[in-house]
Amino acid sequence: MPTYTIDFNSTTLEQLDPVDGSPYRPVENFFLASTADVLTLGQTMFDLGDSEYIFVNGTRDLSILTREPSYLSGEPQSFRVASIDLNGFTWQNFEPTGAQVTFKFSAVAKADPGKTLYGFFTTDVGAGFQTLNLANLVVTDADGVPLTDYTGRGFNQLLYSLSWVVIDDTAGGGAPKFAAYDDLVVITNSAPVTNGFADGTLTGKGVLGQLFTKQIAASDPDAERVYFVVDKVLVDGQDVTDQAVDLGIAISGAGVLRIGVQEGDAELATSRTVQVTYHVTDFEGNSVQKTLTVVQESAVPAGVNLCGLGTNKPDHVVGFAGNDTLCGDNQNDTLEGRGGNDLLHGDNGEDKLYGEAGHDRLEGGNGKDTLWGGTGNDTLYGENSPDRLDGGQGNDVLWGGNSPDEFVFRFDGGNDIVMDFDVKTDTMYFDISMFGVNSFADLKANGHLESVSGGVVIHYVGSEGLDNTIFLKGVSLSSLKAANFDFSMPGDIFG
């Protein structure tokens, strides 16, 4: 716990004078105020041989120690007291009357601010230098009766204020009561403690596409309530602090780190690293900062390479859930990617390539091939020979390649791009349900064709009222002809 010694060796009268608006602030924003006449008359500092002490004269010299209010709660910040130095009440050229003198301490505890706690210390005037252990001082009421609820606790508890005066000179017969003090040792409220996650680590592991939650451990040495604040969030090194809430990255009031699921997470083939810097604070503003790192592994299994497995006979090669690579050979092969972001290469022969789930790349190679992307945002290359390409669902990119090619489009197919449509030789097949018309003329008349910069866009409305499009790159509207449009969907393109 942070400990400070308030010594008065260099204290000026102006710092101790509460009238001029400059209260004494020794360390950690403490205030020391006094109502003492003596403290303002230049009689405060006495050299007792080993240091300077504050000279006090009876109950007129009330010293009060408190701290500035917390910026969070508005209440004074709390502290504990450990000890204070007193000196023998015999000074050069002055001898106080009487055999004993009593200090009266009073405090307001944070746990019960409506009650004032008292403590009394009586000593001989000739006792000399001594350190009073305030932490063990018996806590009483104003009349000196011990409070049993505070037995053994002394002033070693969080306080809002501490004050003290000299009240007794047992043999003085009413003579003035004098004493001196210095080196008040105080202990400020401690910051919370956090060592990262409850398992003692600063790292965690998750899976993309799955909600990540993990408890953060935090406690307060002063048994106060704490709360958590996110300071900075990095995702793969990029600062996304301002978007953290939208990304589902947050720490709850109970200290649970939560990383939500974003669209497409389950399909990512690489891991993601999330770093969250946070601080834990109590309600007096004491805080501690830590950084946690969570690595979210890809949910997509590692891919396999299934090339070079051909038999020089028509092969049927099936991938797995990962990002696989499948190759045909010189025969009429069938390749199925299944899950993951796959690469399918037909090579020679009249091949059938099924991308299926994931964002796939399909390459027909030589021969009259049929390519179907399936779900996901796929890229299809027909390459050499007449090919048939169907992107399926998702936003697909289609390259026919050499020779006359056929492009197949279905309802709710997404927003597709045909990169090399040849108006002289290529044909587009449409599901009639896409437009509700069955001729090129009707298509134009009903506003489904639009000339735009760089090509032509074919529009239709999908099942959820969303605009689905087919963009013919590098094509002019005037160059299109009825032969490029066929509304007799060929059914199963693999049939």
Side-chain angles (χ1 to χ4, degrees), residues 187-420:
I187 305 167
T188 58
N189 192 339
S190 298
V193 176
T194 178
N195 292 314
F197 291 121
D199 60 10
T201 69
L202 293 175
T203 60
K205 286 193 176 294
V207 177
L208 286 167
Q210 298 179 15
L211 175 66
F212 175 91
T213 60
K214 196 166 185 179
Q215 179 68 51
I216 301 173
S219 61
D220 186 75
D222 304 300
E224 295 192 86
R225 288 189 301 126
V226 300
Y227 65 96
F228 297 78
V229 177
V230 174
D231 298 319
K232 190 173 185 178
V233 178
L234 301 179
V235 174
D236 290 335
Q238 181 179 358
D239 190 339
V240 297
T241 306
D242 293 341
Q243 297 84 41
V245 174
D246 294 334
L247 296 174
I249 304 173
I251 299 177
S252 71
V256 176
L257 174 62
R258 181 184 186 277
I259 302 177
V261 177
Q262 300 298 305
E263 183 178 356
D265 278 0
E267 299 175 3
L268 294 177
T270 58
S271 64
R272 173 189 294 155
T273 300
V274 179
Q275 288 182 300
V276 179
T277 299
Y278 69 99
H279 70 268
V280 184
T281 184
D282 62 22
F283 282 79
E284 290 194 7
N286 303 297
S287 64
V288 61
Q289 188 180 70
K290 289 286 184 181
T291 297
L292 300 174
T293 300
V294 177
V295 177
Q296 296 177 288
E297 300 290 350
S298 171
V300 179
V304 296
N305 189 320
L306 299 176
C307 293
L309 302 179
T311 62
N312 284 323
K313 295 180 180 179
D315 298 309
H316 188 169
V317 183
V318 179
F320 299 92
N323 302 329
D324 305 316
T325 301
L326 284 68
C327 298
D329 50 26
N330 296 321
Q331 299 299 315
N332 301 332
D333 304 309
T334 301
L335 309 179
E336 295 184 50
R338 298 290 173 90
N341 305 327
D342 305 310
L343 169 61
L344 281 63
H345 183 70
D347 206 354
N348 299 319
E350 298 182 4
D351 305 309
K352 296 180 179 180
L353 279 60
Y354 301 75
E356 300 184 337
H359 308 312
D360 306 309
R361 177 186 175 103
L362 280 59
E363 302 170 351
N366 299 320
K368 186 177 181 180
D369 306 308
T370 304
L371 289 69
W372 180 64
T375 60
N377 303 327
D378 306 307
T379 303
L380 280 58
Y381 296 86
E383 298 186 328
N384 299 320
S385 301
D387 303 303
R388 178 174 287 176
L389 291 77
D390 182 346
Q393 294 179 316
N395 304 325
D396 307 307
V397 178
L398 312 176
W399 297 77
N402 299 326
S403 300
D405 298 304
E406 299 175 346
F407 298 90
V408 178
F409 300 100
R410 304 174 188 275
F411 189 70
D412 278 345
N415 300 305
D416 300 325
I417 302 175
V418 180
M419 300 295 294
D420 60 349

Side-chain angles (χ1 to χ4, degrees), residues 134-157:
L134 291 170
N136 292 336
L137 193 65
V138 175
V139 177
T140 73
D141 62 14
D143 298 321
V145 178
L147 299 176
T148 57
D149 291 346
Y150 294 88
T151 300
R153 295 167 60 183
F155 288 158
N156 185 28
Q157 56 188 293

Side-chain angles (χ1 to χ4, degrees), residues 421-442:
F421 188 80
D422 189 338
V423 297
K424 297 178 181 179
T425 59
D426 293 341
T427 304
M428 290 176 285
Y429 287 90
F430 300 97
D431 182 343
I432 194 172
S433 65
M434 295 169 62
F435 308 103
V437 299
N438 58 5
S439 72
F440 175 56
D442 289 341

